[in-house]
Amino acid sequence: MLDAAALIEKHRARGVLIDTSLLVLFLVGSVSRKRILNFKRTGDFAIEDYDLLVGLIDWFGKLVATPHVLSQVSDLTDLYGTELIAVRSLFKALVEQIDESYDASLLLVGDPAFERFGLTDTAITTVCSRGILVLTTDARLQIALQERGIDALNFNHIRPLGWRP
């Protein structure tokens, strides 16, 4: 297995699929960096995590997503008032730029990963089996992907490295 820096470099031209919790962090932090600390879905992250994630997104340039991840992100960025309007606007801009890739749900539920991980993570598995790096905070998903020979990075392992582009 390649180390984190090598995986990041290896996939720079191909892009990265960022898992749900990290895309929520990106959108909430883009609305308000201070909001990260007291929003129910990003409270486990620090402002520095947002900065690191933004650097990684800029480095890769190309983001890949599945409709399943995007649906979850849309549902989990349930801010209020002007913040909701801002996050929806940012989400729209993200969707307009992202490379959305998917397989039919009928195919996904037939994959052995479905019973263990459900539809969204199985969709990530199949899409990323085509040579796309996955960036996640989900250790179970990361390990399962790596067992299938899919490149995956756990964001929690990148934090202490102080990685910067």
Side-chain angles (χ1 to χ4, degrees), residues 3-5 8 10 18 21 23-24 32 56 59 66 68 77 81 87 121 124-126 134 149 153 163:
D3 66 18
I8 291 168
K10 174 184 174 185
I18 298 177
S21 64
L23 278 180
V24 170
S32 168
L56 285 164
W59 177 259
T66 70
H68 310 87
T77 51
V87 82
D121 287 352
I124 290 170
T125 301
T126 61
V134 177
L153 278 175
W163 183 88

Side-chain angles (χ1 to χ4, degrees), residues 87-106:
V87 82
R88 291 291 189 250
S89 177
L90 290 166
F91 181 78
K92 180 180 185 280
L94 179 70
V95 169
E96 291 170 349
Q97 295 177 11
I98 212 158
D99 182 7
E100 191 172 355
S101 185
Y102 62 92
D103 293 295
S105 295
L106 181 60

Side-chain angles (χ1 to χ4, degrees), residues 11-23:
H11 288 276
R12 183 174 189 187
R14 297 182 203 158
V16 63
L17 186 145
I18 298 177
D19 201 3
T20 303
S21 64
L22 291 170
L23 278 180

Side-chain angles (χ1 to χ4, degrees), residues 21-36:
S21 64
L22 291 170
L23 278 180
V24 170
L25 170 64
F26 175 70
L27 290 171
V28 171
S30 295
V31 168
S32 168
R33 292 163 48 92
K34 292 178 183 176
R35 190 70 163 103
I36 293 167

Side-chain angles (χ1 to χ4, degrees), residues 1-124:
M1 177 176 63
L2 297 172
D3 66 18
L7 280 174
I8 291 168
E9 185 59 39
K10 174 184 174 185
H11 288 276
R12 183 174 189 187
R14 297 182 203 158
V16 63
L17 186 145
I18 298 177
D19 201 3
T20 303
S21 64
L22 291 170
L23 278 180
V24 170
L25 170 64
F26 175 70
L27 290 171
V28 171
S30 295
V31 168
S32 168
R33 292 163 48 92
K34 292 178 183 176
R35 190 70 163 103
I36 293 167
L37 303 175
N38 61 16
F39 181 60
K40 60 188 169 188
R41 313 225 192 266
T42 57
D44 290 339
F45 292 105
I47 293 172
E48 294 79 16
D49 295 329
Y50 169 76
D51 295 336
L52 173 59
L53 182 59
V54 168
L56 285 164
I57 289 170
D58 288 344
W59 177 259
F60 284 106
K62 176 182 172 186
L63 294 181
V64 177
T66 70
H68 310 87
V69 168
L70 293 174
S71 179
Q72 285 186 334
V73 170
S74 177
D75 291 346
L76 296 176
T77 51
D78 54 342
L79 297 168
Y80 297 97
T82 58
E83 288 182 327
L84 178 62
I85 293 166
V87 82
R88 291 291 189 250
S89 177
L90 290 166
F91 181 78
K92 180 180 185 280
L94 179 70
V95 169
E96 291 170 349
Q97 295 177 11
I98 212 158
D99 182 7
E100 191 172 355
S101 185
Y102 62 92
D103 293 295
S105 295
L106 181 60
L107 176 72
L108 297 174
V109 298
D111 187 300
F114 173 73
E115 289 181 16
R116 184 172 171 200
F117 291 108
L119 194 62
T120 299
D121 287 352
T122 303
I124 290 170

